[in-house]
């Protein structure tokens, strides 16, 4: 009988002890993910899951807990105190930013301090205050992305010395890169609506294990507006509307989004319309950037028209519309389903840098426009949470994207207008899974399948007679296929040491059919079948809550795409690029080191260094076509070039960040980037890498009060002398300033700016700003159009 009573008593004690603790942020009441729970008596520890929960079953009832999470004030507490709090513990933020949940490093929410990769976040409140006109402008506010623009309707990111098809773009987890992403500058990022974004993240450095081909320089991950479910069956409605105007380009923007929600259903709708007139540059800067004339047409003739305001960059205006519709369904607490439709379309817009080219003292072109840039995406997403089985969480993403871009060009006083239209249909399927391995490990694994179908057409139209005829296309008709499997494992050896290692196998296939009617190509078809195995290993060491040290080594690759193998285009005056089907992937090996340290509770310093070696690099080199080194292209005898595996490249640099909390609501933050790159040339010599920008950064002074946020900031960049420019950049005399010897160079620049947001009440916000207060006339490196001069921005936001 005593034995039975003892067993029953023990059972009661165990039942009483078996508890789950939940840890929440005291301000937002959001779960605190991966907070560590340490028993200071036995040194046993665990940490919270994605819901901020942790089981206390494995701990002794006499445990004295030390609860820690980076970015929060640590708490020491015993079991009886936790019981009195009903096993819910609130942690107070300590006004530091070491702890932050990010997604892009693994495709799953996890604390930034657990990743050996450097990730920078742009939050929704930053987007509201900065009021960026485009998604490219949004990226520039991160302090780690350099933006090049060939025209106002543009924005080509550069990260760590790489750009365009050596970077990855994702939207709601779906790859946006296509088989015609080129090595030159891209403007696809402007298809995204900055006003419909929940957040954006920039992962610095390669992450080919998770993202596959092209993830060499970094990853830009965009999350659009999500659902707002109701806590009960009642319908909840929230809405947000914004209208904005800016002076430098006479911007007129209207935006609205509505979110409806019940307990199991939710819907989000968003629409934005923007109009930009010609962009005015500043008054203080190089006269080489002035626009003294532009081309107009009258009675079928191209005329040189004097520009009454040479700071007005004519033609550069355009307009854009964005629409998004999402529907969400939660049939069970373990399932989330959603369907989404995105559509973006611009008007035609001028490629401004080509308007600056001259020939024999006259404009080279009477017209050089991009046709309407169109992008749409249909997406289905399923998320499932499973306490047991081969995964803890699963996400399935199925998507179809449609891209259309076109080029319309005509030489000065030439009636023949060349139209080239490209359409890409991109299908993708991603299965991403996460599995908890015991209390200390997480396994990330998945499958990916991508198919891009490229259709390219060319039409030559006589603008005088209206007659049209087939013309050469830019690309062959082609299919590009990628299939992959990946696995990455993260293990917490001690509360201070974390490791992560992963592998990815990627197969690539390409089939292309060439039209030999216009160019005497020695082939009509091309095929490519190749594969790549990439991997990474990294470590995080946290000796205390004040320190975070990380190291990572990774390989990455870029498989040849349709743009590499099959494009015909004029790369520069007097040169034409022709197809080359004999290509192989390029490979990168990268090392990263980083340290973040908090001095007390007020100052955070973050320093990162990196080195990337690119082998078998795909680059443009002189070539022959049927033995000829020159051919006639668009009526010009041009040197024949092709993309080839012909070079090695190196990029290295540092990124520093500072955050300082000051008294009375003030805060100072600063980011500085320095990078240097070299690329091997034909003769074995080296050239500065084209996409390694000069040093650049931003410094911001914040003031926050109850209803007011003010930010004064400066953005700045170093310059390049003529000899510091990449060899191919030295030939683009029309876009650069000229030094005393008449050679092109890129001057350094800086701007002073101020933004403010005032909340009249819970529903109305006034947002205003002045950019480039001193009215500087400047161009960011490699850009063909100058940035805005002094720019007054006014916006009104209403929300319910």
């Amino acid at each position: 009988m005593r034995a039975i009573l003892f067993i029953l008593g023990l059972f009661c004690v165990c039942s009483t002890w078996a508890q789950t603790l939940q840890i929440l942020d005291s301000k937002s009441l959001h779960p605190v993910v991966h907070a560590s729970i340490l028993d200071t008596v036995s040194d046993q520890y665990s940490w919270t899951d994605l819901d901020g929960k942790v089981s206390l079953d494995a701990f002794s009832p006499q445990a004295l807990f030390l609860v820690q999470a980076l970015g929060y004030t640590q708490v020491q507490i015993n079991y009886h105190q936790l019981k009195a709090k009903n096993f819910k513990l609130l942690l107070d933020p300590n006004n530091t930013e070491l702890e932050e949940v990010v997604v892009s490093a693994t495709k799953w929410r996890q604390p930034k301090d657990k990743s050996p990769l450097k990730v920078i976040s742009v939050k929704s409140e930053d987007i509201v205050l900065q009021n960026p006109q485009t998604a490219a402008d949004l990226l520039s506010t991160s302090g780690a992305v350099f933006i090049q623009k060939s025209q106002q309707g543009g924005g080509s990111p550069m990260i760590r010395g790489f750009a365009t098809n050596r970077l990855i773009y994702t939207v709601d987890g779906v790859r946006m890169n296509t088989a015609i992403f080129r090595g030159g500058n891209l403007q696809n990022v402007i298809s995204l609506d900055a006003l419909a974004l929940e957040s954006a993240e920039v992962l610095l450095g390669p992450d080919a294990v998770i993202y596959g081909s092209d993830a060499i320089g970094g990853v830009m991950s965009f999350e659009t507006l999500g659902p707002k479910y109701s806590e009960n069956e009642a319908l909840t409605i929230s809405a947000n509307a914004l209208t904005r105007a800016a002076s430098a380009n006479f911007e007129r923007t209207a935006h609205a989004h509505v979110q409806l929600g019940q307990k199991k259903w939710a819907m989000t709708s968003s629409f934005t319309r923007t109009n930009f007139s010609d962009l005015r540059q500043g008054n203080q800067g190089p006269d080489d950037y002035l626009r003294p004339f532009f081309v107009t047409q009258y009675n079928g003739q191209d005329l040189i028209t004097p520009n009454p305001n040479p700071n007005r960059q004519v033609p550069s205006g355009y307009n854009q519309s964005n629409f998004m519709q999402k529907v969400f369904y939660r049939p069970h607490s373990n399932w989330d389903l959603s369907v989404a439709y995105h559509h973006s379309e611009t008007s035609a817009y001028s490629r401004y840098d080509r308007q600056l080219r001259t020939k024999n003292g006259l404009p080279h072109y009477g017209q050089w426009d991009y046709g309407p840039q169109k992008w749409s995406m249909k997406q289905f997403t399923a998320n499932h949470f499973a306490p047991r089985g081969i995964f803890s969480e699963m996400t399935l993403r199925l998507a179809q994207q449609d891209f259309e871009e076109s080029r319309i060009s005509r030489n000065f006083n030439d009636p023949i207008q060349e139209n080239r239209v490209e359409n890409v249909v991109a299908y993708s399927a991603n299965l991403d899974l996460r599995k908890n391995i015991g209390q200390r490990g997480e396994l990330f694994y998945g499958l990916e399948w991508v198919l891009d179908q490229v259709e390219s057409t060319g039409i030559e139209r006589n603008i005088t007679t209206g007659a049209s005829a087939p013309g050469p296309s830019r690309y062959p008709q082609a299919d590009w296929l990628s299939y992959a499997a990946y696995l990455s494992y993260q293990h917490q050896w001690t509360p201070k040491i974390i490791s992560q290692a992963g592998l990815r196998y990627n197969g690539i296939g390409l089939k292309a059919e060439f039209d030999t009617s216009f160019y005497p190509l020695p082939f009509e078809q091309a095929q490519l079948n190749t594969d790549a195995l990439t991997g990474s290993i990294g470590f995080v060491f946290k000796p205390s809550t004040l320190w975070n040290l990380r190291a990572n080594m990774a390989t990455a690759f870029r498989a040849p795409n349709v743009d590499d193998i099959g494009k015909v285009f004029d790369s520069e005056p007097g040169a034409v690029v022709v197809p080359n089907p004999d290509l192989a992937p390029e490979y990168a090996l990268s090392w990263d080191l980083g340290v973040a340290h908090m001095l007390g509770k007020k100052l955070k310093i973050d320093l990162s260094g990196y080195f990337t070696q690119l082998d078998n690099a795909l680059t443009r080199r002189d070539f022959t076509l049927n033995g000829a080194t020159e051919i006639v292209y668009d009526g010009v005898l041009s040197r024949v070039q092709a993309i080839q595996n012909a070079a090695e490249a190196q990029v290295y640099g540092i990124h520093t960040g500072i955050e300082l909390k000051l008294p009375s609501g003030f805060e100072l933050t600063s980011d500085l980037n320095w990078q240097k790159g070299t690329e091997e040339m034909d003769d074995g010599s080296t050239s500065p890498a084209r996409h390694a920008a000069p040093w650049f950064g931003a410094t911001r002074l914040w003031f926050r009060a109850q209803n007011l946020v003010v930010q004064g900031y400066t953005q700045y960049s170093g310059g390049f002398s003529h000899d510091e420019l990449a060899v191919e950049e030295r030939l683009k005399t029309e876009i650069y300033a000229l030094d005393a010897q008449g050679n092109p160079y890129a001057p350094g620049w800086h701007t002073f700016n101020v933004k403010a947001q005032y909340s009249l009440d819970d529903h109305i916000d006034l947002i205003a700003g002045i950019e480039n207060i001193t009215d500087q006339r400047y161009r960011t490196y490699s850009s063909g159009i100058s940035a805005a001069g002094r720019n007054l921005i006014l916006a009104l936001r209403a929300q319910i």
Side-chain angles (χ1 to χ4, degrees), residues 585-788:
E586 58 184 14
Y587 289 91
L589 176 62
S590 182
W591 292 267
D592 281 79
L593 292 173
V595 57
H597 179 48
M598 293 189 322
L599 298 172
K601 297 182 179 180
K602 302 297 184 182
L603 176 62
K604 171 194 168 185
I605 300 175
D606 195 320
L607 177 64
S608 303
Y610 60 90
F611 176 86
T612 301
Q613 172 76 33
L614 187 65
D615 294 321
N616 219 26
L618 292 164
T619 188
R620 193 166 65 235
R621 290 287 184 266
D622 288 342
F623 197 61
T624 60
L625 184 62
N626 293 328
T629 60
E630 293 180 317
I631 63 172
V632 175
Y633 180 78
D634 283 353
V636 177
L637 184 63
S638 301
R639 185 172 75 258
V640 176
Q641 295 184 322
I643 303 296
Q644 302 171 57
N645 294 106
E648 294 182 353
Q650 294 180 345
V651 179
Y652 52 92
I654 58 173
H655 169 265
T656 61
I658 295 175
E659 297 178 18
L660 176 62
K661 304 294 182 180
L662 298 169
S664 304
F666 285 93
E667 178 184 359
L668 180 71
T669 66
S670 186
D671 289 277
L672 181 65
N673 305 269
W674 176 87
Q675 49 279 315
K676 185 175 179 60
T678 58
E679 179 182 347
E680 181 185 13
M681 303 299 291
D682 275 343
D683 59 2
S685 63
T686 59
S687 164
R690 176 187 177 188
H691 291 130
W695 63 267
F696 68 96
T699 300
R700 318 163 192 88
L701 179 63
W702 297 78
F703 172 74
R704 294 181 176 90
Q706 184 175 1
N707 296 322
L708 177 67
V709 178
V710 179
Q711 183 190 92
Y713 65 100
T714 176
Q715 290 184 293
Y716 38 83
S717 171
F720 281 154
S721 68
H722 176 72
D723 292 338
E724 292 173 320
L725 288 174
V727 170
E728 61 183 296
E729 291 294 300
R730 298 172 194 172
L731 302 176
K732 302 174 183 177
T733 56
E734 70 273 12
I735 68 172
Y736 287 105
L738 301 179
D739 62 19
Q741 288 73 43
N743 295 318
Y745 79 106
W749 55 268
H750 65 275
T751 64
F752 297 101
N753 320 269
V754 63
K755 300 283 179 67
Q757 177 184 352
Y758 181 72
S759 299
L760 296 176
D761 53 33
D762 292 338
H763 306 293
I764 303 294
D765 290 334
L766 297 177
I767 306 165
I770 303 178
E771 297 175 334
N772 194 0
I773 294 172
T774 57
D775 207 25
Q776 297 297 302
R777 182 188 302 137
Y778 72 99
R779 286 183 185 169
T780 60
Y781 163 69
S782 192
S783 291
I785 190 169
S786 299

